[in-house]
Amino acid sequence: MKFKTKLITLVVAFLAAISFALSSQVNAANTDMVDTSNHNGLMTYDNYYDMLVHYGVKAVVQKVSEGTTYVDQTAKYNLASAKQAGLYLNGYHFARYTTVEGARAEARFAVAAAQSAGLPIGAVLATDVEASEQANNSYAANTANNKAFMEVVQAAGYRSTIYTMGSWVDTKMSVDKGWIADYPYNTSRDRYTSHHAWQFRSDQQFADSYGNFDVSQLYDDFFTANQTPSPSVPVTPAPSQPAKSNAASDTDYAQTGVFKPSATVNIRTGAGTGYASVGSYAPGESVIYDHVYIRGTYVWARYLSYSGRYHYVALGVNGGESFGSRSSNAQTYSHTYYTVRSGDSFWSIASKYGISMYTLAANNGKTINSLIYPNENLYIR
């Protein structure tokens, strides 16, 4: 009897130890800050508010630029949405520089992009240093280049820091207090407490948001200083499945046609503004739809994406403004093409149409490393 009691005690103690270890590992990092960029599409107030309420996210860091030619077209919209939801706002620039002069040029470009996107003065505008250009540079050159970039950014009124990989800290460049990426968190969680932030995973998913997200734990107030979040819309989360009204205008019917937007319209996962936005269509593009829904304020078109999922775009206001033109001769559109816009990449275009970026590149006789140019027509299928 004593042996049995002792055995049970040992088993309970062992299970408790496992439970403690697992809970410690799971809770090792706080989801304090989330990265967003064109890879996640246009983020809505609801997306960010859900992160705030259900995951504890309090700050966002949005990509604003890359090199000296690329501006992230989602930055302005996403920062505005994050501000509405009550998050602290920050930005980052993906570095391509290899010289001090190149770093200064990229910094000036990044500052202009940040200002245009609405990043408030006093916020963080970090330099993301992880590209092959820096991998092939010397320790001394990378250190000098990063210093030059941050000096220009700071002179413009922003604060700055270095984002890089844990393996590059003090090996590829000097990093005093940075924002460090190192996974997995169960082996890296105690290494970066002397830095501003630690990015502990790159595959976080949030309900009703598109794609994977990088998330970080903050160790000080560097990414939350100089701001006082003030949500500008009621802090009431939108339902994940918008409720239908009982209005007579709520109806739907099968109709095949072609919609050509006259203004940029969001692509959503359902027929309503409460659904997640996963991309957009711009003037000059077209979409073949197979169903029309009238839901209160808006008229929506449904189409089957190449990923096999239904997506929806607003055709216009119910009984009012049209967001483009419609025609019924969908059968004449046997192929789909896309006109490249500034800031596009194979990834962003492929994501919009639900196909692989490798397939998209191959369909056009290219590889994913090939350059694409504004106004170039790409064959989708």
Side-chain angles (χ1 to χ4, degrees):
M1 187 69 177
K2 288 182 179 180
F3 174 78
K4 183 176 180 181
T5 303
K6 184 176 182 180
L7 179 61
I8 292 173
T9 302
L10 288 173
V11 170
V12 170
F14 177 71
L15 291 175
I18 291 177
S19 176
F20 175 80
L22 287 176
S23 61
S24 297
Q25 177 173 319
V26 170
N27 296 321
N30 298 324
T31 309
D32 294 324
M33 185 167 71
V34 62
D35 304 14
T36 53
S37 72
N38 60 88
H39 294 297
N40 306 111
L42 296 175
M43 300 288 292
T44 66
Y45 160 81
D46 298 319
N47 296 146
Y48 285 123
Y49 186 75
D50 179 73
M51 294 177 182
L52 171 71
V53 172
H54 298 294
Y55 298 89
V57 173
K58 56 187 176 184
V60 62
V61 56
Q62 165 70 39
K63 181 176 182 179
V64 297
S65 54
E66 178 175 335
T68 56
T69 58
Y70 177 79
V71 173
D72 194 312
Q73 298 299 312
T74 66
K76 186 171 185 177
Y77 185 93
N78 289 354
L79 287 172
S81 296
K83 181 179 180 179
Q84 283 184 315
L87 299 183
Y88 292 93
L89 307 182
N90 303 280
Y92 75 91
H93 168 84
F94 192 92
R96 294 292 186 182
Y97 48 72
T98 57
T99 66
V100 166
E101 283 308 309
R104 289 173 179 155
E106 289 195 25
R108 291 190 291 269
F109 183 78
V111 166
Q115 292 173 338
S116 178
L119 185 68
I121 294 298
V124 172
L125 178 53
T127 177
D128 181 343
V129 186
E130 58 176 310
S132 58
E133 288 88 342
Q134 290 85 45
N136 296 324
N137 239 9
S138 69
Y139 176 97
N142 284 333
T143 299
N145 296 343
N146 294 340
K147 182 174 182 290
F149 179 95
M150 290 190 290
E151 286 175 345
V152 173
V153 169
Q154 290 162 355
Y158 291 111
R159 292 174 299 117
S160 194
T161 190
I162 300 168
Y163 167 92
T164 194
M165 298 170 285
S167 60
W168 282 27
V169 174
D170 297 330
T171 59
K172 286 290 185 182
M173 68 201 75
S174 174
V175 183
D176 181 20
K177 286 178 73 68
W179 169 25
I180 313 303
D182 201 355
Y183 327 125
Y185 60 70
N186 60 321
T187 59
S188 307
R189 63 186 182 226
D190 298 321
R191 296 177 60 187
Y192 303 109
T193 55
S194 63
H195 290 273
H196 295 308
W198 162 45
Q199 186 185 98
F200 60 91
R201 66 183 299 176
S202 61
D203 59 353
Q204 176 69 48
Q205 294 190 336
F206 298 99
D208 297 322
S209 294
Y210 180 72
N212 292 331
F213 294 81
D214 299 334
V215 290
S216 302
Q217 173 166 311
L218 304 181
Y219 291 117
D220 56 28
D221 66 351
F222 188 72
F223 285 92
T224 58
N226 300 332
Q227 296 181 53
T228 303
S230 54
S232 57
V233 295
V235 286
T236 303
S240 58
Q241 296 291 328
K244 293 182 179 180
S245 74
N246 294 320
S249 60
D250 277 15
T251 186
D252 61 89
Y253 51 92
Q255 182 187 85
T256 300
V258 179
F259 175 59
K260 294 182 177 181
S262 56
T264 300
V265 293
N266 289 332
I267 301 169
R268 298 192 179 274
T269 56
T273 56
Y275 290 89
S277 172
V278 296
S280 63
Y281 279 102
E285 300 181 64
S286 62
V287 57
I288 302 173
Y289 59 89
D290 63 8
H291 213 93
V292 172
Y293 297 82
I294 301 175
R295 292 289 182 265
T297 304
Y298 298 102
V299 179
W300 300 85
R302 183 188 75 178
Y303 71 95
L304 187 65
S305 75
Y306 300 141
S307 64
R309 296 182 178 181
Y310 280 116
H311 288 157
Y312 303 78
V313 294
L315 299 175
V317 176
N318 184 18
E321 176 190 5
S322 174
F323 297 156
S325 62
R326 285 192 276 171
S327 59
S328 59
N329 58 335
Q331 66 276 7
T332 64
Y333 289 77
S334 56
H335 300 289
T336 300
Y337 293 87
Y338 176 81
T339 301
V340 177
R341 290 176 282 166
S342 176
D344 278 337
S345 65
F346 280 120
W347 192 97
S348 63
I349 299 169
S351 297
K352 172 182 290 191
Y353 289 98
I355 62 174
S356 163
M357 63 179 177
Y358 297 95
T359 300
L360 173 62
N363 284 350
N364 292 275
K366 301 175 183 288
T367 71
I368 60 168
N369 296 315
S370 300
L371 294 176
I372 54 176
Y373 303 93
N375 299 318
E376 179 180 357
N377 286 324
L378 295 181
Y379 171 68
I380 304 300
R381 73 166 186 177

